[in-house]
Amino acid sequence: MAAQIMQPRPRPRGITCPSSSNRRGLLRPPRASAATNGSVRLTVSDAELASRGFAVQRTAEGLDVAALNEVFARVGFPRRQEERLRRALAHSRVVWLSEAGRPVAFARAAGDGVFNAVVWDVVVEPSCQGLGLGRAVMERLVEELRRDGVGNIVLYAEPRVVGFYRLLDFAMDPDGIRGMAYYRKASSPSSSAAAAPSSL
């Protein structure tokens, strides 16, 4: 089978990542020494991101929810009702990168703020993929959670992106633990009657 070459998707109107001369390829490892105290080592500083035209945001303040929804749609995520998305953001730890005020990379986590967190909605504008921006938002999100003492950080990943998360020290089924999800099945009246016990 021949290898498939992935071409960047055409950039939608209004989305402008920094010019290729300013991108300098993948993000470089930091020049500073390794992180201490169990914190996450960032592969690129906020200043380096800024020099490439990306501003680091650590709250949902100023986040254009409609623009984020557009990024969701371009990467194949379902669009969200904007009011519900705003409520989710209000209850989440958020890290996002903006370029000219528009979101180009985003990640959020929700949890109890002490023991557990679940990472959701990690996206990068397709025209900006391959620059290390997903890694940049994930490193910062994990760093903030770890700094708060959250030790159990989990996420759901499609098979095609598992390798990306492994590079960030996520593991599948650590210690044989299996993730489970509750899915409420829609039932028809006839199937629920058939499943009901004959007597109680």
Side-chain angles (χ1 to χ4, degrees):
M1 175 190 262
Q4 182 180 8
I5 299 174
M6 299 297 287
Q7 297 294 324
R9 295 181 193 169
R11 185 178 301 152
R13 269 191 352 235
I15 301 295
T16 56
C17 279
S19 69
S20 59
S21 63
N22 202 21
R23 286 184 182 174
R24 292 183 272 175
L26 294 175
L27 299 177
R28 298 182 309 230
R31 294 177 197 98
S33 62
T36 58
N37 299 333
S39 64
V40 176
R41 180 177 177 174
L42 300 178
T43 56
V44 64
S45 69
D46 289 7
E48 173 69 14
L49 286 166
S51 76
R52 296 175 57 192
F54 302 109
V56 177
Q57 313 291 338
R58 289 182 169 85
T59 70
E61 186 176 329
L63 177 59
D64 182 341
V65 173
L68 178 61
N69 240 340
E70 291 299 317
V71 177
F72 284 167
R74 283 192 288 275
V75 301
F77 282 19
R79 290 180 189 271
R80 313 284 171 75
Q81 293 175 2
E82 288 187 17
E83 183 53 39
R84 290 175 58 93
L85 182 53
R86 282 187 190 91
R87 284 193 354 235
L89 294 173
H91 296 282
S92 299
R93 176 71 57 97
V94 174
V95 176
W96 57 290
L97 301 178
S98 65
E99 191 276 326
R102 297 185 59 84
V104 294
F106 174 88
R108 72 180 182 93
D112 57 27
V114 180
F115 302 109
N116 304 292
V118 180
V119 176
W120 300 103
D121 301 331
V122 181
V123 294
V124 176
E125 171 64 45
S127 64
C128 297
Q129 290 177 1
L131 302 176
L133 303 183
R135 182 180 191 102
V137 293
M138 280 298 296
E139 286 174 345
R140 283 159 177 78
L141 185 61
V142 169
E143 176 188 48
E144 289 186 14
L145 293 167
R146 299 286 296 164
R147 186 178 55 231
D148 289 348
V150 175
N152 185 33
I153 304 169
V154 299
L155 56 83
Y156 296 93
E158 295 177 13
R160 64 185 175 84
V161 295
V162 166
F164 166 75
Y165 292 111
R166 282 188 172 140
L167 293 173
L168 295 168
D169 296 330
F170 283 85
M172 289 183 63
D173 303 325
D175 301 323
I177 296 171
R178 297 285 181 177
M180 298 182 75
Y182 172 77
Y183 288 100
R184 186 173 186 150
K185 296 179 183 178
S187 61
S188 65
S190 62
S191 67
S192 60
S198 58
S199 65
L200 292 178

